[in-house]
Amino acid sequence: ICKPCIYKLPLGLFDSVMPNAQVIFPYTINDGKAEVFSEDYFVENFPLTWAYLNNYKAILVKRSINAPNPKWYQFGRTQSLTDFHNTDKLVWHVLSTKPTYILDTLNLQVTGGGNGPYYSLISRSDYSPLYILGILSHPLFEAMVKAGASEFRGAYYSHGKQFIENLPIRQIDFADKTQVKQYNEIVKTVSQLITAKHGYNQVYIKEKKRVFERKIDFLFDKLIMHINILY
């Protein structure tokens, strides 16, 4: 009944993250739809979780739950419960001072929407999420997000849906070999950046960190070059 999730976890561009919490998920997913557990099913199959939640029932029943015939233990909102199920996705902080986009391949659960804390994006097209990640990491696109967003205390600004959805992501003509070449280079370079960033985060010796820093800088410059050529 518990699924791995991230909770108050700082993200850095191209990071590889591991879950730092578990979230109770009282739903079964059938045919792409999430169905909340019945009380009988819950009690019979997850008695310890049922007992745990009942300790907080007085608090949970006061929530506003946007669902017909709501159960006190279900989530307050039902949007997107299955949209991000078992699919790679981009995740980032809604409020940040810089781009924090990462690729999640572990089916991690996140809470978000509105002002966050996180926002997610999946690709329902032929485009790799690595391609979109590469475009979003470009300083020009980050400047466009910042220019359209309101600034909050501490120089934070929003990376919410309204500031991301209209960014001019370059469409690829997959019949054009030149465009396909640049597209593939972007995807490959972003993958290499994720690997290099993971290596950087795993070492603690200064000399080794500097090696990874130089590699990351080289790959990022390469990424920017390929994006500039494509646009």
Side-chain angles (χ1 to χ4, degrees):
I1 194 172
C2 289
K3 293 185 179 295
C5 69
I6 55 177
Y7 177 71
K8 294 184 178 180
L9 184 69
L11 306 177
L13 186 61
F14 303 122
D15 274 352
S16 299
V17 300
M18 297 296 292
N20 67 337
Q22 297 283 323
V23 61
I24 295 172
F25 191 82
Y27 295 85
T28 55
I29 297 179
N30 296 311
D31 296 327
K33 296 181 179 180
E35 300 175 359
V36 66
F37 292 168
S38 68
E39 290 194 16
D40 290 341
Y41 179 87
F42 206 148
V43 172
E44 180 178 354
N45 290 277
F46 303 100
L48 297 180
T49 309
W50 178 257
Y52 172 80
L53 287 180
N54 269 272
N55 289 329
Y56 302 94
K57 184 174 180 178
I59 298 173
L60 294 174
V61 295
K62 296 178 181 179
R63 297 175 303 141
S64 172
I65 300 178
N66 183 22
N69 302 315
K71 301 186 182 300
W72 62 268
Y73 48 81
Q74 73 181 83
F75 293 168
R77 298 292 181 270
T78 58
Q79 299 96 321
S80 304
L81 285 184
T82 60
D83 289 349
F84 302 94
H85 183 68
N86 288 335
T87 185
D88 293 350
K89 61 181 177 291
L90 303 185
V91 181
W92 63 89
H93 287 291
V94 172
L95 294 179
S96 65
T97 60
K98 57 187 177 181
T100 60
Y101 307 100
I102 67 159
L103 176 68
D104 166 39
T105 60
L106 301 177
N107 197 34
L108 300 178
Q109 307 300 305
V110 300
T111 58
N115 283 329
Y118 302 104
Y119 218 93
S120 299
L121 182 149
I122 59 174
S123 176
R124 291 197 176 101
S125 66
D126 294 330
Y127 297 101
S128 166
L130 292 174
Y131 172 69
I132 301 172
L133 173 54
I135 301 298
L136 292 177
S137 69
H138 195 292
L140 176 60
F141 288 86
E142 184 63 15
M144 294 172 68
V145 172
K146 185 175 183 179
S150 299
E151 188 169 301
F152 294 79
R153 181 185 302 176
Y156 286 82
Y157 51 95
S158 177
H159 293 71
K161 177 182 178 180
Q162 66 270 39
F163 306 114
I164 300 294
E165 64 180 348
N166 292 319
L167 291 176
I169 304 299
R170 178 69 153 83
Q171 296 188 35
I172 303 298
D173 179 0
F174 286 98
D176 186 322
K177 293 183 179 180
T178 301
Q179 291 186 32
V180 171
K181 179 181 178 181
Q182 294 303 320
Y183 168 86
N184 289 334
E185 287 291 343
I186 291 170
V187 170
K188 182 175 73 173
T189 305
V190 171
S191 179
Q192 293 171 334
L193 274 163
I194 292 172
T195 300
K197 187 68 179 294
H198 178 71
Y200 173 85
N201 290 332
Q202 294 300 306
V203 299
Y204 300 95
I205 300 173
K206 289 184 178 180
E207 290 75 12
K208 290 186 177 181
K209 275 194 171 293
R210 281 196 288 268
V211 172
F212 278 109
E213 284 176 350
R214 290 194 292 269
K215 185 173 184 178
I216 291 170
D217 289 343
F218 168 78
L219 288 170
F220 190 71
D221 289 343
K222 182 179 178 182
L223 173 64
I224 298 305
M225 178 192 69
H226 286 301
I227 294 174
N228 289 345
I229 291 173
L230 187 61
Y231 275 80

